[in-house]
Every structure is written in C-alpha cells, then in structure tokens.
Amino acid sequence: MSLVQRQSSSGSDGSATVDEKKRKRMLSNRESARRSRMKKQKQIDDLTTEITRLEMSNNQVRQTVDARERSYNEIESANNVLRAQAMELTDRLQSLNSVLHIFEEVSGFSVDIPEMHDPLLKPWQRPYPSQPIPASSGMFFI
C-alpha cells in the first residue's frame, strides 16, 4: 500500500505543479502578448509620426518647386520681352545703317558704319567684349 499512497500523493503534488506551471505559462503568454501589442502600437505610432514628418517635408518641397517654377516663368517671360526688344532694336539699327548707306551713296561723304553683330546667332559671344556684364550674387536665388 505504501506504493499506492506514494503515487497518489505524488500524483496530487504532480497535478498541482502541472496546474501551477500551466498558470505561470498562461500568465507568461499573456504578458508576452501584452508586450507584443505594446511594441506593435509603438511601431504604428512611430510610423504615423514619420508619415506626418514626410508629408510636411513633401509640402515644403512642393512649395519650393512651385516658387521656383513661378520664378522661372517670370524670368522666361522677361527673357522673351528682352529677345523681342533686341530683335526690334536690331531691325531699327539695320534700317538706320541702310539709311546711312543710302546717304553715303547720294552725298558722297564717307560715313563710318560699324559692323553689326547679331547676338541671336552667336549668343555666347558678346558684341562688345570690353563691357562687363553686371550681376549680383543673389540674382539667381530667391
């Protein structure tokens, strides 16, 4: 009988330890799940913060691009006006030179007519190399 008593007594102790182990494991799993949920929530919060930061940065970039585009359009418009004025002045100068040629032929006087350079044909060559081109350091930046 001592063998049966030992098994039953160890059996009740064994089931108590198994129940205790199950309970501890269940608590450990709950705690692990809680930590996992907290970690996931922190990741979501971090990603939400990152999204907000990137959206703000994106808006700043868009505003900068829009400002540059407006500036470019203004400069392009002014450049077109200057091109039209240059062409008009070139036409006037050609007309005046032709008048001077006619005057020279009719009157017999020799008139010094300087050679006219067309800045639109060779824009990289300045017609008067001794004249400096004025520019400021901030003229290309807004």
Side-chain angles (χ1 to χ4, degrees), residues 91-115:
D91 289 344
R92 282 185 185 177
L93 186 58
Q94 285 175 346
S95 296
L96 289 173
N97 282 343
S98 65
V99 168
L100 283 175
H101 282 295
I102 293 171
F103 175 75
E104 198 175 46
E105 289 175 7
V106 171
S107 69
F109 290 117
S110 176
V111 179
D112 185 26
I113 303 171
E115 185 179 329

Side-chain angles (χ1 to χ4, degrees), residues 108-125:
F109 290 117
S110 176
V111 179
D112 185 26
I113 303 171
E115 185 179 329
M116 190 173 76
H117 298 284
D118 189 357
L120 298 177
L121 293 179
K122 295 181 181 177
W124 59 89
Q125 292 178 345

Side-chain angles (χ1 to χ4, degrees), residues 7-8 22 43 53 62 86 89 103 105 114 117 122:
Q7 283 181 350
S8 66
K22 275 186 176 180
Q43 288 175 337
R53 187 188 65 76
R62 280 188 183 140
L89 290 173
F103 175 75
E105 289 175 7
H117 298 284
K122 295 181 181 177

Side-chain angles (χ1 to χ4, degrees), residues 36-80:
S36 179
R37 285 190 302 271
M38 287 176 62
K39 182 178 176 182
K40 188 179 248 183
Q41 185 61 46
K42 184 180 180 334
Q43 288 175 337
I44 289 172
D45 292 344
D46 290 346
L47 289 174
T48 303
T49 302
E50 181 73 6
I51 287 170
T52 303
R53 187 188 65 76
L54 290 173
E55 285 175 343
M56 289 173 56
S57 176
N58 196 13
N59 286 336
Q60 285 179 330
V61 168
R62 280 188 183 140
Q63 289 174 356
T64 302
V65 167
D66 290 345
R68 298 284 189 245
E69 199 170 301
R70 283 191 301 276
S71 176
Y72 172 81
N73 289 337
E74 290 171 6
I75 291 170
E76 184 70 21
S77 176
N79 201 13
N80 289 337

